[in-house]
Amino acid sequence: MVEKATTIQEFVEAPPRVSEWRRFGRVFFQRKLVVFGLVVLSILIISAIFAPWLAPYDPYRGDLSDSLVQPSGKYLLGTDIQGRDTLSRLIYGSRTALLVGFVTTITATILGIVLGLVAGYFGGITNMVIMRAMDALMGFPMLLLALLIAAVLGSGIQNVIIALSVATLPGYARVMHGLTLSVRENDYVLAERAMGSSNMRTMVGHILPNTLPPMIVLVTLQLGSIILAEAGLSFLGIGIRPPGAAWGSMVNDGYRFLVTNPVLSFAPGLAIMLVVFAFNMVGDGLRDALDPRLRGIL
Amino acid sequence: MTTYIIRRLILGIFILIIVTLIVFFAMRLLPGDPLVIFMGQQASSGSMSAEQMESLRHEYGLDKPVMMQYFNWLGGLLRGNLGTSIYYHEDVGKLLANRFPITLHLGVLAFIIANVLGILLGLLAGIRRGTWIDTVSTTLANIGITIPVFWLGILMIYTLGLKLRWIIPFLGYTSPFDDFGMNTKQIIMPVICLAITGLAFTARQMRSAMLEVIRQDYIRTAWSKGLKERVIIIRHALKNSLIPVITLMGIGLGMVFGGAVLVETVFAIPGIGRLLVTSIFAQDYVVIQSGTLVIAFIIILSNLLVDISYGWLDPRIRYG
């Protein structure tokens, strides 16, 4: 009788099964700033997709008789020297920021993962060549390297993407290299090798999946700094050709009219800051939810 | 320790060689005639005759094989000959020497401020977790990481310069040896802009390193021995929590040079960053090549120093 009660007791005390997704969601949505970041990013994505419907005016061709108008009911954020509506250009600028941010991230991440994985897995001379080349690339400040490449390739959005991809690539490769080195030492990798798996199968099937959570976090955290670097390049006038709208070049264009129309450079700068902040917050949230051990490392 | 330093030095030299290869071949990988690229519009507009082109080609050594060109260029670099600027018609070495001290002046000040304040803020935030100082420090770090430095510069010019008229003049650069007061006024805002990113990263890193360290057993032992908090933090916790921060210093130096390009543009400061931007628009590849190379050299050398001090601070790395 007593024995039976004990078994029931044990059964009741067993921890309830919590779905991984629910646990992820609970940690992720816990912090208000993460939610704020998500809201900002949603607005950004919506405005990028629906720009033609959201923008009240043509972002590329302005009404010259409405040049440098102060913010008013007609133009919520005023107009620039060519009479173009600042708000409309801001909305179209979100396309540039997102396009450069995402395409650069995807390119650099894939290349970085491949290089880091191969270097870490094979070791030896392969490792030496790849990682020292990455060290050499890291010897340049990110913005300067991007500047050098953009100078060589000329302006244009695809060249900005190439430049920023090369400039951010070593960071991903280095983190991936470190992760591969540590995952490679696990017993299940040894077991896989003992069963005669090919190198490719071991790398892609067993090492790669276990490095993904920290890589996802790094990618999100890096997105902000890529957008910041793109803004820097276009502020310097390298990057998106006129009349294309990029927030960085809008800040620079507005700088000349700082005394009379400060909103021209204040508004796009604030947009850059909000978006970078949002990406960082979402990255922090992902890090805490996916792998709390990473706190402070990434 | 000596073998560790020697190993690091050899590695450093190896990386420097790769850097020269990258910079050199970045210019050569381009499709088209390097002379046309070198000479920019002059050559492409057809204002030069074929003989002129040929003699220039010979003068720049572009008629030789690529590897020969590379070694000639490298040889010139080692002898301190960085070439002649196409746009400024000046020796690039001299050009860099004129502008470098300006960037260095701003950069070193910013670097010191970023690290001292960053370490202090991060330390206080770490040991006083959850208090107002933690909130202030974390908020400041978040702003510093996200704000575009060029925009911060413009905001400061607008508020401090144009509206409040506290700091006037705010553009340009005067040598501190000519007019110290003027110089101080001119560099306040650029230095803040250059320092903010590094400060934010350092503070954040320091805070999390501190949180990590003060949980360790040896800190608990120090507490139970009855040591004062000041002694525990300064003598026991600080050294270990500084290790990740020192790694960040190498990156921080890169950020200062990267930021200099933007900040010098905003504040019209004739430093090396401004020179590079001007050269890019003037298509002066000689200056771009040498300028980026010099900056990369400095960063790699300082990373070497970081690595060595790292091995000194943490013996596990030396033998690992």
Side-chain angles (χ1 to χ4, degrees):
Chain A
M1 186 68 198
V2 176
E3 266 175 27
K4 203 178 179 182
T6 321
T7 40
I8 290 168
Q9 194 73 26
E10 271 173 9
F11 185 70
V12 169
E13 272 189 2
R17 274 182 67 87
V18 181
S19 127
E20 267 306 293
W21 283 104
R22 187 173 292 172
R23 192 190 62 83
F24 172 86
R26 207 182 50 222
V27 181
F28 187 71
F29 294 108
Q30 197 181 35
R31 283 168 59 200
K32 286 195 181 65
L33 279 176
V34 176
V35 178
F36 172 76
L38 274 183
V39 171
V40 172
L41 291 188
S42 313
I43 295 172
L44 177 76
I45 291 169
I46 290 170
S47 75
I49 295 173
F50 300 106
W53 294 278
L54 288 172
Y57 296 92
D58 185 337
Y60 306 125
R61 289 176 56 189
D63 186 353
L64 280 174
S65 58
D66 277 348
S67 164
L68 292 175
V69 174
Q70 295 293 345
S72 61
K74 191 178 176 196
Y75 300 104
L76 282 176
L77 291 173
T79 60
D80 64 5
I81 182 82
Q82 297 178 45
R84 297 178 297 195
D85 177 41
T86 308
L87 181 64
S88 304
R89 286 181 67 72
L90 215 56
I91 291 172
Y92 272 83
S94 66
R95 289 187 158 184
T96 312
L98 270 188
L99 184 71
V100 173
F102 280 132
V103 179
T104 305
T105 305
I106 292 168
T107 322
T109 314
I110 292 175
L111 286 175
I113 283 182
V114 171
L115 287 174
L117 189 60
V118 168
Y121 183 76
F122 290 107
I125 187 84
T126 322
N127 176 47
M128 181 76 184
V129 170
I130 294 178
M131 292 324 287
R132 290 305 82 76
M134 293 299 119
D135 283 349
L137 281 181
M138 279 204 141
F140 301 91
M142 181 171 142
L143 194 66
L144 266 191
L145 185 60
L147 210 62
L148 178 75
I149 300 168
V152 170
L153 297 173
S155 65
I157 196 163
Q158 71 275 22
N159 292 339
V160 171
I161 290 173
I162 296 173
L164 288 176
S165 301
V166 177
T168 47
L169 167 67
Y172 297 110
R174 191 177 265 191
V175 171
M176 188 64 196
H177 175 245
L179 289 169
T180 309
L181 283 183
S182 71
V183 173
R184 197 183 60 169
E185 298 305 319
N186 283 325
D187 286 339
Y188 61 83
V189 175
L190 189 68
E192 187 68 19
R193 305 273 308 135
M195 283 194 291
S197 282
S198 66
N199 286 331
M200 193 67 187
R201 193 192 159 100
T202 318
M203 278 197 288
V204 177
H206 297 271
I207 296 180
L208 183 64
N210 288 294
T211 58
L212 281 184
M215 282 308 282
I216 292 170
V217 174
L218 181 69
V219 163
T220 326
L221 286 175
Q222 275 279 315
L223 253 165
S225 58
I226 289 174
I227 289 177
L228 211 51
E230 185 271 320
L233 283 181
S234 68
F235 175 78
L236 293 173
I238 298 154
I240 286 77
R241 290 194 197 93
W247 292 341
S249 60
M250 287 174 72
V251 174
N252 196 14
D253 292 343
Y255 185 25
R256 285 184 295 156
F257 308 103
L258 192 62
V259 183
T260 52
N261 299 52
V263 70
L264 287 182
S265 51
F266 285 2
L270 189 66
I272 300 168
M273 193 171 155
L274 272 178
V275 168
V276 177
F277 183 73
F279 272 117
N280 285 350
M281 284 306 118
V282 173
D284 278 354
L286 274 180
R287 180 196 55 197
D288 292 349
L290 281 176
D291 193 348
R293 283 171 304 169
L294 293 172
R295 238 169 261 177
I297 299 172
L298 287 175
Chain B
M1 190 72 200
T2 323
T3 40
Y4 174 77
I5 293 176
I6 292 171
R7 216 168 58 208
R8 285 278 120 185
L9 276 176
I10 293 172
L11 205 63
I13 292 167
F14 191 67
I15 293 170
L16 285 182
I17 293 171
I18 302 180
V19 165
T20 60
L21 283 170
I22 292 174
V23 171
F24 184 81
F25 285 100
M27 302 291 158
R28 294 301 185 283
L29 279 176
L30 290 170
D33 188 346
L35 188 67
V36 177
I37 297 158
F38 268 121
M39 301 308 293
Q41 280 144 351
Q42 262 183 298
S44 52
S45 63
S47 60
M48 284 195 300
S49 69
E51 291 93 79
Q52 271 178 310
M53 293 277 281
E54 268 321 302
S55 72
L56 269 173
R57 195 181 298 277
H58 187 71
E59 195 185 313
Y60 280 98
L62 291 172
D63 48 356
K64 298 197 181 94
V66 176
M67 278 324 279
M68 275 282 281
Q69 289 181 35
Y70 171 72
F71 284 112
N72 279 344
W73 177 65
L74 208 63
L77 286 180
L78 289 176
R79 273 177 271 119
N81 176 14
L82 298 176
T84 310
S85 158
I86 296 161
Y87 178 70
Y88 294 95
H89 302 287
E90 248 188 282
D91 182 48
V92 175
K94 208 183 279 173
L95 213 56
L96 292 178
N98 283 340
R99 284 145 190 271
F100 208 72
I102 299 176
T103 304
L104 208 63
H105 180 194
L106 299 174
V108 166
L109 279 178
F111 187 72
I112 293 171
I113 291 173
N115 282 301
V116 171
L117 274 184
I119 288 174
L120 206 67
L121 271 179
L123 183 107
L124 288 174
I127 57 179
R128 295 280 180 270
R129 186 184 188 175
T131 61
W132 64 271
I133 187 138
D134 186 19
T135 315
V136 169
S137 160
T138 313
T139 312
L140 205 68
N142 272 331
I143 293 173
I145 288 167
T146 51
I147 201 166
V149 284
F150 54 89
W151 189 59
L152 176 67
I154 291 175
L155 280 185
M156 282 199 287
I157 288 178
Y158 186 74
T159 49
L160 302 179
L162 294 171
K163 286 293 149 188
L164 298 170
R165 309 184 76 79
W166 283 352
I167 304 171
I168 287 174
F170 43 77
L171 296 181
Y173 181 86
T174 319
S175 168
F177 303 108
D178 293 345
D179 187 343
F180 191 78
M182 180 82 130
N183 171 269
T184 310
K185 276 183 180 172
Q186 281 175 332
I187 66 170
I188 291 175
M189 291 194 276
V191 166
I192 293 175
C193 283
L194 280 177
I196 191 89
T197 320
L199 193 155
F201 275 104
T202 308
R204 207 162 76 154
Q205 183 68 68
M206 187 66 198
R207 177 178 182 269
S208 57
M210 205 66 202
L211 287 177
E212 191 65 36
V213 167
I214 53 175
R215 282 192 318 169
Q216 303 288 321
D217 287 344
Y218 72 92
I219 297 294
R220 197 176 344 130
T221 311
W223 277 112
S224 50
K225 275 202 304 190
L227 294 180
K228 285 200 185 74
E229 186 185 19
R230 183 193 306 252
V231 180
I232 294 172
I233 299 302
I234 293 173
R235 290 265 304 275
H236 299 273
L238 193 62
K239 193 173 163 189
N240 275 330
S241 55
L242 274 180
I243 292 170
V245 175
I246 286 178
T247 326
L248 211 61
M249 283 184 186
I251 303 168
L253 203 75
M255 281 195 286
V256 165
F257 278 108
V261 177
L262 296 167
V263 172
E264 286 172 9
T265 302
V266 173
F267 291 97
I269 294 166
I272 203 162
R274 189 81 204 114
L275 176 73
L276 281 175
V277 176
T278 319
S279 308
I280 283 171
F281 284 109
Q283 294 198 300
D284 189 339
Y285 287 86
V286 185
V287 175
I288 301 172
Q289 229 174 17
S290 309
T292 17
L293 196 66
V294 169
I295 291 176
F297 267 37
I298 292 170
I299 288 173
I300 288 168
L301 287 179
S302 54
N303 274 325
L304 201 70
L305 285 179
V306 165
D307 273 355
I308 290 171
S309 63
Y310 211 72
W312 173 70
L313 272 173
D314 189 349
R316 282 174 306 181
I317 290 160
R318 223 185 300 159
Y319 304 112

